[in-house]
Amino acid sequence: MTLTLSNLSKTYPGRHGGSVQAVRNLNLTMEKGEIVALLGSSGCGKTSTLRMIAGFESVSEGGITLAGRRIETLTPDRRRVAMAFEGYALYPPLTIEENIGFGLATRGLDRAEAARRVREMAEMLEIGPILKGRPAGLSGGQQQRASLARALARDADLHLLDEPMGQLEPQLRSVLRGRVKAALKSRGLTAVLVTHDQTEANAMADRIAVMEAGVLQQYGPPSELRDRPANLLVATFLGEPPMNALAATVDPAGLHLDDVAEDVLALPGVPMPRAGAKIVLGVRPHRLQLGAGALRGQVISNQWLGDQAHVVLALGPRILVAVAHRRVAVRVGETIPFGFAPDHAHLFDADSGRALAHGMVAA
Amino acid sequence: MPRISAILRGIALAAVLLFFLFPIFWIFLMSFQTNETILQIPPSLAFEPTLINYTSLISGHLQTAAGSLDLPFMHNLFNSVLLSAVSVAVSLVLGVPAAYAFARFRFRLGEDIAFTLLSFRFAPPLLVLLPLSLYFKDLGLANTYAGIIWVYQLICLPLILWIVRGYFEDASPDVEYAYRIDGHSWWRAFTRIAIPLAGPGIAAAGLLAFIFAWNNFVFALILASADKQPVTVGALAFVTASGIQYGQIAAAIVLSILPTLALALYAQRWLVEGLSLGAVKG
Amino acid sequence: MSGLQIHGLRVAFGRNELLKGIDLSVAPGETLVLFGPSGCGKTVLLRAIAGVEPAARANVQIGGRDVSALGPEARGLGMAFQNFALYPHMTARENIASPLQARGVAAAEIEARVAEVAALLRITHVLGHAPKELSNGQKQRTALARALVGKPPVLLLDDPLRNVDAKLRYEMRMELPRLLRAAGAATIYVSQDYREAMGLGDRVAILLDGRIAQMAPPEAIYDAPASVKVARLFGDPPINLLACRPTAGKAGVEVAAAGWQFSLPVDRSAAGRNCLLGLRPEAVALFATQQSGAAPAQIIATTPLHERLVVLLRAAGGEEVVASVLGSVPQAGSTVWLAADAAQALLFDAESGSRIPAAPATLEHAA
């Protein structure tokens, strides 16, 4: 276990007396060499968590253990963590090269080795041509890559990456994700990635911790979050396009979709809650099959995006999206049959959002 | 640990409050004492409160050992209110549109004009007073309310212009653009969108300008004779032949800070209200 | 001519000319997506059309009427801003009513039309709220409602989905085609997301270096980008670009790159010139065993992207190749065989960046 967060909490004094709990009883462990993403929308507590690990924020309750040492009371410089800041935090008077090499020089790495590292990082992040420049003259994306290079060049027990690619052009982002992941893996580095972008979390992380309102919602590998989401929030937060969610009522013979005048939808093999229960049925867009099935929907749009098709369907007042990895020959306005295999159904409690059953788990 | 730090913080706060509030508290006490009890050594907190200072200020008659003296204090107070209020009103009418223009439009010499207006604040007032008083005599403006209000623009206008300009610059022009695209004229966009959004800034600038105008001494001393004098100049009258009337001075100070205090308390809720109120993505 | 026409639109800030002469026209009911990298002037172009960009010089016609000399209030258009630009001191209802109020519409009719558009955008329950009480998604819907309520002949939408989270973005993306169809306006939609551009645009205009680099239906841009720059911008993960020097072949040119050999039916003038071979990542397939025409490569990293896997590979010659595949992929470090679909390969001139057109012979066949 490299990093252990135990019962970690952060409480800020509120504006009108009282207090705001940004992080509540967070328990999380990471293995050495693992990449973990803290994923959530803004204000979910992920940045507070990161700042507590780095030592920029005091811990209200709980403890942090890193590589066998309790670190929550240490000053940031003694925690042996490296960090790439969302706001870059480059040293303005130094060149980019000096910025990247800064952490290395102060840690007594020999000169040739330090220079080699800087070159390697610059090449990986495509900032070779700006090494001699100073931060002020650079774009946000360039500064962000320099900040990332500085963090990655260092040896540390833990690398903290705070929204490390938020300012990059999308074209560069998808390639750099692969390269940074490969670099972390080849050096056996342990990294915490804080991001609001589920694509980035999915692309880079071995495990993802989804946070919302200061509470850890689910922690597991991307495949587990995708196939067995713990609740509706995780289910709809991950996946692009997001999971289709339909309000439904459990019937002895299956499900009755609310507001949709269709027959009861039978889901053989899926463990059903008691009849009459209000639930939400979730189906991932690429699990919807067009052209055959028990449901009928009107095509609202059919968009070919170069490598996939998005077909939007109206099912009564509900709107669903289906994804296919080939062109689909349906026209706007047409009513077509569609459906899904019971294996791909997810059932959630309508009130709490808690997952009740997953088709694939039952299968 | 947290208890000790809380106690220390309390002590520090109390010390600061004592340092700043004690003189005001003392003045307040003085205003209810006669000159004799004030000058008594050692000073005592136990005294018989008297309203004599206030009654003599309000009635305008001061009884001293040397005889009776007429004090135009209430008239001075009226002058102060009139001069400050009208000066600020004129400055707002002139300054807010100007501030908007400087914030929204780039025009030739724009920065230079704005800076020149600010530079009026740099010059010591005495530098301009002598020539001004001569001009004013020729123009017939000397010792008129209009003349003093005009000169007070030197105090109020740069202040309002620069503070309000900052508020206009901070507000996204997109909100005004959106309003115009909706079909409203630029004048309506200015009055219905720009001004309300800069409201807290305008209130803050107006309040500050009012206080500066209220506290002004030199301009009024030179340009105004007795019947146009504000309290700051009028207070000189308490230095009488028979000594300094501390009790009346204290009462006069209490009376003269009341309007600014009331205004500050009233404007506070405007001052604390957020600038853009979450119109634009935070 | 109805709809929107723009001729010779120029915007210069001092000596820096941001837009160097833009011509475009949008028909009623059509959605033109304006796409380009950040800072390319997309927003400025919209503002120029709206009449709120003082530095713009342009001839703008709306519904056949020259509005170039008119202020924004007289142009008769609706606009949604990227930062929403709601009026903070008014309720959502008053925000939406603003365009109708400006025209002096009767109170009862304002009430009815605001209710109608609010129902369409599903914000009826928050009409009485001030903007600061709205969630980002509700703000964005209120801003859209305000743009739509006056039924303007021209709609300008400045990346309205940029500042909302993925879930809301998709919900809106699903609803927008229907909303825009119902509005029937000539719509310009600014986007930085090529999928959004492909999904919403009847046509897409690529804005690059102050000019429109290509304007065509989205698929045409994806399948036949005019230049390397357009090809790189339009697609995620981005297109693979491999340096090559084609030789003349039977029906076009022969290309060798990253261990592959292709015959491409393109203009033979490319032979002997420095070129770039463009291959979309989804046109590259991975095989565990040797295949004819496949080239060996080593897997550097695999990063999932939606339902696909983006595989970063190093070819035998050291070139980096990105493949986007469905299904599973061997672990990093493994050697695999890469096959490329020659039918999807593009060839660009390395110097000018422009795409080498199809060989004339092909055209004769077609004729």
Side-chain angles (χ1 to χ4, degrees), chain C residues 292-303:
Chain C
S292 81
Q298 196 185 26
I299 296 180
I300 301 172
T302 302
T303 56

Side-chain angles (χ1 to χ4, degrees), chain A residues 34-361:
Chain A
E34 202 175 14
I35 305 174
V36 164
L38 294 182
L39 176 67
S41 46
S42 62
C44 74
K46 58 187 193 295
T47 301
S48 293
T49 305
L50 186 82
R51 294 177 66 85
M52 282 192 281
I53 300 173
F56 304 136
E57 200 78 80
S58 66
V59 170
S60 301
E61 260 172 80
I64 305 171
T65 311
L66 177 61
R69 301 185 303 151
R70 283 296 284 255
I71 60 164
E72 72 267 16
T73 55
L74 300 180
T75 52
D77 54 310
R78 299 178 57 202
R79 296 192 180 198
R80 296 208 294 262
V81 276
M83 180 156 170
F85 293 85
E86 189 184 6
Y88 326 136
L90 297 171
Y91 313 118
L94 304 186
T95 63
I96 294 304
E97 189 172 24
E98 289 162 344
N99 262 286
I100 301 172
F102 192 81
L104 308 178
T106 56
R107 273 164 192 79
L109 213 65
D110 83 74
R111 250 207 206 152
E113 170 64 12
R116 195 190 59 76
R117 283 245 181 118
V118 173
R119 269 200 315 278
E120 194 180 298
M121 289 302 132
E123 192 187 332
M124 174 174 85
L125 297 168
E126 297 183 17
I127 47 174
I130 55 161
L131 277 181
K132 302 291 177 200
R134 278 173 219 281
L138 304 178
S139 72
Q142 289 169 324
Q143 292 193 52
Q144 189 159 46
R145 280 179 279 159
S147 170
L148 184 57
R150 181 177 59 183
L152 292 178
R154 277 189 49 191
D155 288 316
D157 289 339
L158 183 65
H159 283 72
L160 301 173
L161 312 177
D162 191 4
E163 303 276 4
M165 303 197 187
Q167 295 299 318
L168 304 188
E169 305 246 320
Q171 288 71 34
L172 198 54
R173 217 181 283 175
S174 56
V175 177
L176 290 196
R177 277 179 198 138
R179 289 196 206 149
V180 170
K181 183 178 179 180
L184 288 169
K185 288 290 170 199
S186 70
R187 284 165 61 195
L189 300 179
T190 313
V192 174
L193 167 75
V194 163
T195 180
H196 71 281
D197 180 0
Q198 49 130 339
T199 314
E200 194 160 294
N202 264 315
M204 295 182 67
D206 301 310
R207 282 195 279 176
I208 299 176
V210 180
M211 293 183 73
E212 179 63 35
V215 178
L216 180 65
Q217 304 288 326
Q218 192 171 5
Y219 181 40
S223 59
E224 186 185 313
L225 269 58
R226 186 188 60 217
D227 297 336
R228 277 175 291 153
N231 56 41
L232 196 54
L233 192 138
V234 174
T236 53
F237 194 84
L238 285 144
E240 206 173 320
M243 180 185 274
N244 295 300
L246 297 166
T249 310
V250 180
D251 187 276
L255 284 180
H256 178 79
L257 300 180
D258 297 354
D259 308 325
V260 179
E262 297 279 344
D263 293 335
V264 168
L265 191 65
L267 293 174
V270 181
M272 281 289 160
R274 64 180 169 74
K278 290 283 178 196
I279 62 138
V280 173
L281 166 70
V283 185
R284 298 232 175 253
H286 67 286
R287 299 300 188 189
L288 286 181
Q289 290 153 1
L290 302 177
L295 300 164
R296 292 179 69 76
Q298 195 187 22
V299 178
I300 291 179
S301 68
N302 179 3
Q303 309 169 344
W304 175 245
L305 305 183
D307 60 351
Q308 54 186 281
H310 287 188
V311 177
V312 178
L313 297 162
L315 178 66
R318 313 268 163 224
I319 289 181
L320 292 88
V321 62
V323 170
H325 294 279
R326 52 180 169 75
R327 283 173 208 257
V328 185
V330 296
R331 278 190 315 278
V332 171
E334 209 180 336
T335 298
I336 57 164
F338 72 99
F340 57 92
D343 274 6
H344 298 132
H346 303 265
L347 305 188
F348 304 93
D349 185 82
D351 291 325
S352 67
R354 195 171 48 85
L356 301 171
H358 301 293
M360 267 186 286
V361 179

Side-chain angles (χ1 to χ4, degrees), chain C residues 17-263:
Chain C
E17 197 169 36
L18 187 62
L19 297 176
K20 304 167 183 171
I22 304 285
D23 300 305
L24 53 84
S25 70
V26 189
E30 189 191 24
T31 302
L32 176 75
V33 174
L34 200 56
F35 180 88
S38 54
C40 74
K42 302 185 294 283
T43 295
V44 172
L45 176 51
L46 277 204
R47 284 162 187 259
I49 297 168
V52 295
E53 180 49 70
R57 300 284 168 272
N59 179 285
V60 180
Q61 304 208 359
I62 291 177
R65 185 170 66 112
D66 187 343
V67 299
S68 313
L70 301 180
E73 65 273 20
R75 294 193 175 193
L77 37 77
M79 181 161 175
F81 291 74
Q82 199 188 98
N83 58 15
F84 313 135
L86 296 175
Y87 316 130
H89 52 309
M90 302 182 190
T91 62
R93 175 181 285 108
E94 289 164 341
N95 265 279
I96 300 170
S98 166
L100 302 175
Q101 225 166 24
R103 272 187 252 160
V105 176
E109 198 192 332
I110 291 182
E111 178 92 1
R113 284 175 68 179
V114 170
E116 185 192 357
V117 75
L120 200 63
L121 284 156
R122 297 189 280 137
I123 46 172
T124 308
H125 58 294
V126 294
L127 279 181
H129 293 198
K132 67 175 170 186
E133 297 165 322
L134 302 177
S135 71
N136 262 1
Q138 290 163 342
K139 282 184 195 173
Q140 169 235 318
R141 283 167 184 269
T142 305
L144 266 176
R146 187 177 67 190
L148 289 168
V149 73
K151 301 197 164 64
V154 171
L155 263 180
L156 305 175
L157 307 179
D158 187 1
D159 214 345
L161 307 189
R162 179 100 179 260
N163 288 320
V164 296
D165 65 47
K167 189 171 160 231
L168 289 168
R169 194 160 60 231
Y170 266 97
E171 275 178 17
M172 206 63 229
R173 226 163 96 175
M174 289 193 275
E175 286 175 52
L176 263 176
R178 198 151 64 159
L179 283 173
L180 294 180
R181 219 175 296 144
T187 303
I188 298 189
Y189 187 106
V190 163
S191 179
Q192 272 209 39
D193 175 347
Y194 92 95
R195 288 176 199 275
E196 196 171 284
M198 290 194 80
L200 294 176
D202 297 313
R203 281 186 302 152
V204 175
I206 312 270
L207 193 59
L208 266 177
D209 307 320
R211 295 202 164 79
I212 290 179
Q214 192 173 6
M215 181 151 52
E219 288 181 38
I221 292 181
Y222 194 84
D223 296 336
S227 69
V228 168
K229 277 189 175 178
V230 173
R232 265 190 66 81
L233 276 176
F234 218 66
D236 180 32
I239 193 165
N240 291 295
L241 293 166
L242 302 165
C244 61
R245 193 188 277 267
T247 54
K250 270 175 282 170
V253 295
E254 301 290 326
V255 176
W260 290 310
Q261 296 280 345
F262 297 125
S263 300

